[in-house]
Amino acid sequence: MKEKIETFMEEVTARNAHEPEFLQAVQEVAETVIPYIASTEIYDGKNILIRMVEPERAITFRVPWVDDDGEIHVNRGYRIQMNSAIGPYKGGLRFHPTVNMSILKFLAFEQVFKNSLTTLPMGGGKGGSDFDPKDKSDAEIMRFCHSFMGELCRHIGPNTDIPAGDIGVGSREIGFLFGMYRKIRNEFTGVLTGKGLSWGGSLIRPEATGYGTVYFAASMLATKNDSFKGKIVTISGSGNVAQYAAEKAIQLGGKVVTLSDSSGYIHDKDGITKEKLSYIMQLKNIDRGRISQYTDKYPTAKFVEGKTPWDVPCDIALPCATQNELNGDDAKTLLKNGCICVCEGANMPSTPEAISAFHKEKILFAPGKASNAGGVATSGLEMTQNSLRYNWTREEVDQKLQQIMASIHASCIEYGIDKSGYVDYVKGANIAGFVKVADAMLAQGVV
Ligand code: GLU
């Protein structure tokens, strides 16, 4: 079996040699899915996985824009349309200087499995730009988004490809993108998700990724008759996912002690309360400040510059910042400090070394494609509401989100449990996500 996986990876590596993050994401899937394919007659010999690692379409385009001083800039725009076997392409847009083909292909590949797990009919895609929104004025952000959509609008549509937000793309950017799509195409349609409430958005969409991550962690803890009550929780990141993961963890009785951004992390031993969290939301979302400013307002907390929060002792760790933010050494520190549960809010935040350390110690570990699927699942619910031309209440959407997270958890157990009763959520998520897409691809033939 090892040889089969190696031969497969050699072929994928030869074709994508300069895409390390993409190869990392593929390797993780190959290790669990290739043995499953080999043991399942209907999939064996059909080259399904090698077809799945090749995007159906990858688009790159020029995004020219003018800054407030009249200077002209050019960024690169992308949309990776990875797989549409079970529904139109669906996945976020990321605006960050690190964006390149490797990052977006890894994200699009993960999205295929994640979207399949949600139980909703959504294929996988991802896009974005190497544009850096940091320190840009609202007018510059608007001009960039308008230029980006000027090209992207040719490739998307409510039945073709429905982008949403990701790092660097929030409600402000979705607004500017939607405005330009509506103008060029002359139609008001659910072509983007994460929209404002008065123009087609869904209640709970902003909260969904963070809430869903905590619902998933709560389900994992419940398998051990445990819960968030009284637990010390460390969270990385301070954007949309981290903020609402913190809010829900606090609601469920956890004590959240850290949040971070690219400059470092804050450690508040007394716990980040609901009130302190509203200060952070104002700071990050409205004032667009840095997390270090938290210590100006709450001087008993400390700011640790240039570090991630994984050396702070905790029971539960929720990595909600970005890919590869938690490495093998961090995993060892977490384990040494008695951490019992790591549940990913970001996409692929744990390195392969970290994941094997968690598996070796048999702690609860959930990969983002399962645990952070609440965001895209609620995007799916936003699409449904757009099609119905109707809005569900907060409670209705939250209840559906909870049902979806419970069903993803159940699928992970179905395919990930071993004889000893230990659940490998990575294996469970990969195989459960694969089966639905593979069945659709088999039914539709070689296209
Ligand atoms: N960017 C989010 C994710 O990684 C959400 C995508 C969406 O809502 O389409 O799943």
Side-chain angles (χ1 to χ4, degrees):
M1 193 50 61
K2 215 168 150 239
E3 212 179 292
K4 253 193 174 150
I5 299 168
E6 272 169 17
T7 313
F8 172 83
M9 282 312 298
E10 269 164 26
E11 191 177 338
V12 182
T13 306
R15 208 176 259 172
N16 305 281
H18 305 295
E19 298 178 353
E21 293 84 4
F22 177 56
L23 292 172
Q24 182 185 335
V26 173
Q27 171 97 36
E28 186 205 281
V29 167
E31 277 170 8
T32 46
V33 167
I34 289 181
Y36 177 75
I37 292 175
S39 67
T40 314
E41 212 185 319
I42 51 164
Y43 304 128
D44 201 19
K46 304 288 193 323
N47 283 348
I48 301 179
L49 202 54
I50 203 77
R51 285 191 265 159
M52 283 173 76
V53 299
E54 195 60 29
E56 289 178 11
R57 194 173 296 104
I59 302 148
T60 71
F61 51 95
R62 181 207 293 166
V63 190
W65 59 281
V66 183
D67 71 18
D68 289 344
D69 298 325
E71 200 176 321
I72 299 167
H73 299 265
V74 178
N75 283 96
R76 187 170 291 172
Y78 302 83
R79 187 70 183 165
I80 314 299
Q81 298 182 328
M82 200 76 190
N83 195 303
S84 61
I86 63 166
Y89 310 106
K90 178 85 196 88
L93 298 170
R94 177 176 291 193
F95 292 169
H96 194 269
T98 56
V99 161
N100 58 33
M101 205 46 132
S102 173
I103 297 280
L104 292 180
K105 276 174 65 181
F106 117 63
L107 288 165
F109 185 67
E110 292 273 298
Q111 199 82 44
V112 173
F113 292 80
K114 186 195 304 197
N115 294 4
S116 163
L117 284 168
T118 65
T119 71
L120 302 174
M122 298 183 289
K126 205 86 188 189
S129 174
D130 57 0
F131 172 73
D132 188 357
K134 212 153 68 200
D135 302 325
K136 301 288 189 300
S137 70
D138 282 352
E140 288 171 332
I141 297 283
M142 181 183 76
R143 288 194 290 274
F144 177 81
C145 289
H146 283 173
S147 177
F148 185 87
M149 185 52 87
E151 172 61 30
L152 187 70
C153 72
R154 297 175 218 282
H155 310 288
I156 61 174
N159 295 311
T160 308
D161 185 353
I162 305 92
D166 196 81
I167 294 171
V169 178
S171 54
R172 173 181 59 170
E173 291 73 19
I174 294 293
F176 295 144
L177 292 163
F178 184 79
M180 188 48 99
Y181 183 91
R182 185 171 61 74
K183 176 172 174 155
I184 298 177
R185 301 286 289 259
N186 193 27
E187 55 182 30
F188 191 107
T189 181
V191 67
L192 290 157
T193 59
K195 301 186 289 299
L197 279 182
S198 61
W199 40 282
S202 172
L203 287 161
I204 300 286
R205 178 63 190 90
E207 293 89 339
T209 315
Y211 278 17
T213 302
V214 172
Y215 291 147
F216 197 92
S219 294
M220 291 202 291
L221 290 163
T223 64
K224 307 264 179 214
N225 295 317
D226 211 342
S227 75
F228 267 86
K229 247 201 170 81
K231 298 287 190 300
I232 306 286
V233 184
T234 52
I235 301 181
S236 61
S238 51
N240 168 268
V241 183
Q243 290 173 18
Y244 287 106
E247 183 171 286
K248 189 50 80 180
I250 297 165
Q251 269 175 32
L252 297 187
K255 186 175 180 182
V256 176
V257 294
T258 68
L259 284 171
S260 70
D261 64 18
S262 55
S263 322
Y265 73 87
I266 51 141
H267 181 195
D268 187 338
K269 275 206 279 308
D270 304 326
I272 298 168
T273 57
K274 210 175 149 208
E275 184 209 347
K276 292 174 180 175
L277 189 61
S278 342
Y279 167 77
I280 293 170
M281 287 182 176
Q282 167 77 29
L283 174 72
K284 297 295 296 186
N285 309 346
I286 315 287
D287 305 338
R288 301 195 186 267
R290 306 297 295 166
I291 199 68
S292 57
Q293 291 167 254
Y294 181 87
T295 54
D296 301 338
K297 174 95 175 157
Y298 302 106
T300 54
K302 63 173 188 179
F303 175 65
V304 182
E305 205 181 331
K307 290 244 160 66
T308 49
W310 313 126
D311 55 353
V312 175
C314 68
D315 303 300
I316 300 167
L318 306 176
C320 295
T322 194
Q323 67 274 354
N324 292 330
E325 54 157 316
L326 195 166
N327 63 28
D329 290 337
D330 298 326
K332 278 190 207 132
T333 308
L334 282 167
L335 290 164
K336 191 182 82 215
N337 287 336
C339 176
I340 55 165
C341 173
V342 178
C343 188
E344 296 185 339
N347 290 311
M348 206 170 74
S350 309
T351 63
E353 294 75 25
I355 298 173
S356 41
F358 297 143
H359 280 161
K360 210 166 134 220
E361 290 305 313
K362 293 195 182 274
I363 67 158
L364 297 168
F365 171 73
K369 63 171 79 85
S371 47
N372 77 27
V376 74
T378 309
S379 277
L381 300 175
E382 181 173 331
M383 288 160 66
T384 309
Q385 293 169 83
N386 291 164
S387 301
L388 294 169
R389 299 197 186 280
Y390 188 73
N391 294 319
W392 290 321
T393 64
R394 208 181 150 78
E395 290 69 33
E396 282 171 310
V397 181
D398 194 26
Q399 204 197 350
K400 287 179 176 33
L401 169 63
Q402 291 188 46
Q403 272 165 6
I404 290 171
M405 296 316 294
S407 133
I408 299 173
H409 186 261
S411 301
C412 288
I413 293 190
E414 184 184 343
Y415 290 100
I417 197 160
D418 70 14
K419 283 189 205 99
S420 74
Y422 178 67
V423 182
D424 179 339
Y425 286 86
V426 175
K427 180 178 171 195
N430 288 343
I431 298 177
F434 169 82
V435 163
K436 187 171 164 191
V437 179
D439 288 348
M441 287 174 71
L442 283 182
Q444 293 169 29
V446 182
V447 288

